[in-house]
Amino acid sequence: MNTCTDGNPAAEAHRLAEGALGILVERLTRFGNRLGEAHRAVLRAMLQGMAEQAYGLRDGRHAYSLFCGGGKTQAVVSLIQAIHESGAGDISMVVAASKVEALCSIYRDLRDAGLPEEEVGITHCYGFDPDQIDAAMAGQCSREKLASVAATDGPARRFQLVTHARVRKGETAVVDYATWNGAPRSLIVWDESLIAAEAHSVLLREFLSAHGAFAPFLEGAEGTLGRTLDAVRNELVSALDSERRGAACGSLAPLVDPGDLEDLKGSVETIWRTRRRNLSDTQRDTLLRVLELASDDFRVLAVNGPDNEGLVTYDVTVPASLQRVAILDASFPIRRLQSLDESIRNGLPEGPPAKRYDRCTLHLLPAPAGRSATEKDFLSDRRMCRAVVSVLRERVLPGQAALVFTFKPKGPPGGKGVLDAAEVLREEMRAAGLNPEEKVSFPRIGPDGAPRVEQRARYVFLTWGQHESISEHQHAEHVLFCGVLHRSRIDVSATALGQRDKLGAELTHKEVQGLVDSEVAHALYQAVNRSAMRQCDGDQAKAADIWL
């Protein structure tokens, strides 16, 4: 437990939380937010909870489900600033986020708040080009992997900013990032959902197809590989038959000797290289994944049809030993997957809604919304595409802006046979008389507190994967979806087993469907909150129209 100037940790935690709250409220109001009483109350409760964790008064993992745009990131900055100004020199923190540029923004805010360079570190693998800082801040350098702040050298510092990927290294991360000066960190802040395991799955039909393609070439020197794959196939088919009949077999012991794994994978590579006319990269990769998964404990699942039958396993990447974690996740009340980890507790008290959405309107456009259906539409009659363009032309008023979500291309942009949905939309927009490159004026409050007007894109095209952790598009009053992200049932099932850390846990079809639905809700909630509705006006979100 951290030491305190007056020997009263509870009093110190309260003083720290109140100091951070004062800094936070000033920051949020300076940026044009008008805070309601319920909003202030939940900010106070969140900062109090994190301060108590930092002083060792709350152990374990606590989720703070402040709404999108409520000030979670600025709360972290304010807490660290308050720690620095209070002289509580024994408190240290790690802040983990999924996006490098989100960490860069926090780093700049902390330095602007007066924290010395030697106290704040940032760890990432991106490059740094001083001539590309503005472009990196605008999210235009992700392909080049450039950041707007250079990674700091040397050992981790008192307040260390890292990506989720750095922390997802099992027990190694506990040593690298969860300790400082030989002692456990006072607090680890985890931005967004904490999914503690990385799930792995291979569909049975994909394995059987790849196995069948390789089968003619498995004689002779590669006979060991053939016998191994036959044994795996037979065991999987038998286990899946039991699953289909409702006689769940639970977890299975490894079918591949780990000591033989590299030789078996080498045999797959050898056959693929010598028979490339007959075999695809996908078939090779499928067999390699099956061998890896079958070299450890795994599970066979049959979840609603052949598109969701296969073998699954997981690796725990955020170990249970990583404690005193504050999870800042607006989706916590609706994302069921995260709640399967019983070590995560709700860090906020029950209370009235801190933010209402009475000014936001949801418009439903009836159409299949999965990836396959959306791609088929864009490659054929473009009915969905033209319906979206019609909304952009007729419902997005002069001076207003819109976000349009599409699926990420399955390959390099411009590649043969690669669908770039955003480019198809731009083509249809031009045909309808719209300029996809048009700008609109966006009045806002600058970092210095002075009002200014910026020129922003009127039409912003984002892909799934960009629906979290960015806040640069709050000028958009409309959000349109060309397809909605749906995770497969087998992928969600594998993640659920990992989140419980119980490979043999029972999963009913009803439970899996509920998890899949909640993942859709989570993705949509995060996506719509990239828009103007992210901002607060008292207890109300700013007006926005959602076209789903």
Side-chain angles (χ1 to χ4, degrees):
M1 181 176 292
N2 298 285
T3 58
C4 309
T5 57
D6 64 0
N8 187 335
E12 283 292 308
H14 179 71
R15 278 194 288 269
L16 177 61
E18 289 299 308
L21 180 64
I23 296 170
L24 176 58
V25 170
E26 188 277 329
R27 282 178 175 275
L28 295 178
T29 52
R30 189 197 330 151
F31 291 132
N33 291 285
R34 192 167 62 86
L35 308 185
E37 286 305 313
H39 189 179
R40 288 174 183 264
V42 75
L43 290 174
R44 173 176 277 110
M46 181 176 69
L47 288 166
Q48 180 68 32
M50 289 196 291
E52 289 178 1
Q53 285 185 272
Y55 274 98
L57 300 172
R58 292 192 191 190
D59 286 324
R61 299 172 176 178
H62 295 262
Y64 302 93
S65 55
L66 183 63
F67 55 82
C68 287
K72 293 186 294 295
T73 301
Q74 288 302 314
V76 174
V77 172
S78 300
L79 181 63
I80 294 175
Q81 181 180 344
I83 292 170
H84 170 69
E85 293 177 353
S86 72
D90 54 347
I91 295 180
S92 66
M93 289 172 56
V94 160
V95 180
S98 61
K99 308 285 187 184
V100 170
E101 211 44 51
L103 297 174
C104 293
S105 177
I106 295 173
Y107 182 89
R108 282 190 296 273
D109 286 344
L110 290 173
R111 297 287 284 116
D112 290 344
L115 272 82
E117 183 178 357
E118 63 270 16
E119 291 245 302
V120 186
I122 180 170
T123 306
H124 59 73
C125 60
Y126 280 22
F128 173 73
D129 183 345
D131 295 329
Q132 297 293 325
I133 290 177
D134 290 342
M137 289 174 63
Q140 299 169 359
C141 295
S142 56
R143 274 185 201 284
E144 297 85 354
K145 292 190 178 298
L146 293 177
S148 63
V149 173
T152 52
D153 297 326
R157 302 181 185 181
R158 181 184 176 195
F159 302 107
Q160 190 70 28
L161 314 178
V162 301
T163 59
H164 288 168
R166 297 271 176 172
V167 183
R168 290 185 178 281
K169 292 184 178 180
E171 294 295 342
T172 302
V174 176
V175 176
D176 291 344
Y177 299 109
T179 59
W180 182 66
N181 284 349
R185 292 275 186 180
S186 310
L187 183 63
I188 298 169
V189 175
W190 188 278
D191 190 30
E192 308 295 351
S193 301
L194 176 54
I195 304 299
E198 181 181 359
H200 311 283
S201 63
V202 177
L203 294 177
L204 176 64
R205 60 176 175 78
E206 291 178 352
F207 168 54
L208 294 179
S209 174
H211 185 209
F214 268 74
F217 315 114
L218 294 175
E219 301 298 328
E222 310 303 339
T224 301
L225 175 63
R227 289 190 295 274
T228 300
L229 291 176
D230 285 346
V232 172
R233 179 200 59 200
N234 294 338
E235 186 65 32
L236 291 182
V237 170
S238 174
L240 275 171
D241 182 60
S242 297
E243 281 276 338
R244 290 170 184 148
R245 289 186 284 104
C249 60
S251 59
L252 299 174
L255 298 175
V256 174
D257 187 333
D260 298 334
L261 180 60
E262 291 306 314
D263 287 341
L264 292 170
K265 290 168 65 177
S267 296
V268 171
E269 295 282 5
T270 298
I271 294 172
W272 175 77
R273 282 194 300 269
T274 57
R275 299 288 182 172
R276 292 191 66 171
R277 288 186 177 181
N278 309 93
L279 302 170
S280 70
D281 294 1
T282 300
Q283 291 165 338
R284 173 202 60 183
D285 293 344
T286 297
L287 291 190
L288 292 175
R289 290 204 315 275
V290 167
L291 290 170
E292 288 178 354
L293 268 60
S295 67
D296 201 347
D297 291 348
F298 68 96
R299 170 86 177 270
V300 176
L301 287 177
V303 189
N304 197 25
D307 286 339
N308 291 284
E309 295 180 340
L311 65 161
V312 302
T313 188
Y314 62 85
D315 296 313
V316 175
T317 54
V318 182
S321 59
L322 208 63
Q323 289 294 305
R324 227 183 270 188
V325 181
I327 303 163
L328 308 184
D329 182 24
S331 291
F332 183 71
I334 60 174
R335 195 174 190 191
R336 297 184 184 180
L337 266 179
Q338 186 172 203
S339 301
L340 295 178
D341 181 349
E342 295 181 354
S343 73
I344 299 176
R345 289 169 279 177
N346 184 8
L348 294 177
E350 295 294 329
K355 185 177 182 181
R356 298 180 60 86
Y357 297 87
D358 299 338
R359 303 173 189 171
C360 302
T361 304
L362 177 63
H363 308 266
L364 295 178
L365 305 174
R371 180 166 193 140
S372 296
T374 302
E375 291 182 344
K376 182 179 179 181
D377 176 278
F378 271 63
L379 291 170
S380 56
D381 58 16
R382 298 187 178 180
R383 291 180 62 186
M384 178 194 295
C385 177
R386 288 174 180 145
V388 168
V389 172
S390 177
V391 171
L392 294 176
R393 184 182 65 245
E394 298 173 9
R395 303 299 294 271
V396 181
L397 302 177
Q400 292 186 336
L403 302 182
V404 183
F405 278 90
T406 67
F407 290 104
K408 188 180 296 184
K410 290 182 177 178
K416 184 178 180 180
V418 176
L419 171 65
D420 187 339
E423 192 52 45
V424 173
L425 281 165
R426 292 187 184 98
E427 177 186 323
E428 290 290 338
M429 289 172 66
R430 294 186 187 100
L434 298 176
N435 176 11
E437 312 304 324
E438 186 178 351
K439 303 287 186 181
V440 292
S441 297
F442 178 51
R444 60 166 300 192
I445 305 297
D448 57 356
R452 64 186 185 185
V453 177
E454 297 179 351
Q455 294 298 304
R456 299 283 187 91
R458 188 180 186 198
Y459 307 106
V460 180
F461 299 92
L462 300 176
T463 57
W464 291 107
Q466 297 176 305
H467 61 289
E468 296 178 294
S469 300
I470 59 174
S471 56
E472 294 82 24
H473 309 301
Q474 299 179 43
H475 65 293
E477 299 92 341
H478 298 262
V479 186
L480 297 93
F481 293 94
C482 292
V484 175
L485 183 66
H486 290 73
R487 293 181 63 181
S488 72
R489 286 175 173 79
I490 195 166
D491 175 45
V492 169
S493 298
T495 306
L497 296 175
Q499 192 70 354
R500 286 175 171 165
D501 195 13
K502 188 175 181 181
L503 189 57
E506 181 182 1
L507 284 174
T508 66
H509 290 303
K510 182 178 180 180
E511 181 181 8
V512 171
Q513 186 60 56
L515 291 170
V516 170
D517 291 344
S518 79
E519 286 297 282
V520 173
H522 155 67
L524 287 171
Y525 174 67
Q526 292 289 334
V528 298
N529 274 286
R530 302 311 105 196
S531 70
M533 68 184 288
R534 181 179 183 85
Q535 301 174 63
C536 296
D537 183 11
D539 66 348
Q540 290 287 346
K542 290 196 173 180
D545 284 87
I546 314 301
W547 306 84
L548 176 61

